[in-house]
Amino acid sequence: MIKNFFLVDDDPDDTGMFAEVLHSIDPSLKFGFTHNGWELINKLKTGEMADPHIIFLDINMPEINGWECLKQLDKINKLHSIPVIMYSASQHDAERAVKAGALCHYQKPASFQLLKEFLELISATSRRNLRRVIKEIQQTG
């Protein structure tokens, strides 16, 4: 089961909703966040933060965008195996996300309930089965 979530997003409203949704699913779920990709990489490299089970990575951010951050994560052996979901308002990056090495692209939902349904499925899944579950979600719409 996914118990340790990390979000990289420069929008405080999106970060707040993400945290609130996770808490409503299960208060024991761990949640960490940074406002940009360099903060994430530094926290992971220095051990300031334990390796998350999954990273949700916004695409449009200052300093380093999500695509470049994903490339940097891929270059660091101990971070390469952490599953990443590209998480943005754009609806046109699904194919690019997978080609770049992410599990998938998930468009930021318009409602608390839609995000909750998605994160409930993710949190109930083991890292080993994430790819399969995400494919099932995408096929059912």
Side-chain angles (χ1 to χ4, degrees):
M1 295 187 53
I2 303 294
K3 291 290 187 182
N4 188 358
F5 287 75
F6 203 88
L7 174 67
V8 183
D9 196 327
D10 62 322
D11 185 320
D13 292 334
D14 289 339
T15 302
M17 184 168 85
F18 202 97
E20 190 177 335
V21 166
L22 285 177
H23 186 76
S24 76
I25 292 169
D26 180 351
S28 72
L29 292 173
K30 293 180 181 170
F31 174 64
F33 70 93
T34 61
H35 299 291
N36 69 62
W38 288 129
E39 288 179 58
L40 167 72
I41 291 166
N42 289 332
K43 285 185 176 194
L44 289 168
K45 283 171 79 172
T46 63
E48 182 181 333
M49 176 184 71
D51 289 344
H53 290 124
I54 192 164
I55 296 170
F56 284 76
L57 184 57
D58 188 19
I59 293 173
N60 297 312
M61 295 181 292
E63 296 185 41
I64 178 175
N65 69 32
W67 302 117
E68 185 58 34
C69 184
L70 186 62
K71 284 181 195 174
Q72 296 300 318
L73 288 171
D74 195 43
K75 291 178 183 179
I76 304 167
N77 283 340
K78 73 176 191 170
L79 306 180
H80 177 72
S81 65
I82 300 171
V84 175
I85 293 177
M86 301 306 282
Y87 183 67
S88 78
S90 168
Q91 60 181 332
H92 303 291
D93 293 313
E95 188 175 326
R96 182 177 179 191
V98 173
K99 284 182 180 178
L103 281 175
C104 69
H105 171 271
Y106 182 69
Q107 185 177 0
K108 290 180 180 181
S111 74
F112 183 95
Q113 187 59 36
L114 288 173
L115 182 58
K116 184 175 181 180
E117 290 169 9
F118 183 70
L119 293 181
E120 280 176 332
L121 289 170
I122 297 299
S123 68
T125 303
S126 68
R127 275 173 83 162
R128 185 177 70 235
N129 292 324
L130 271 175
R131 212 171 280 287
R132 178 185 55 77
V133 168
I134 288 171
K135 278 188 178 185
E136 289 172 6
I137 292 168
Q138 291 171 332
Q139 289 172 350
T140 59

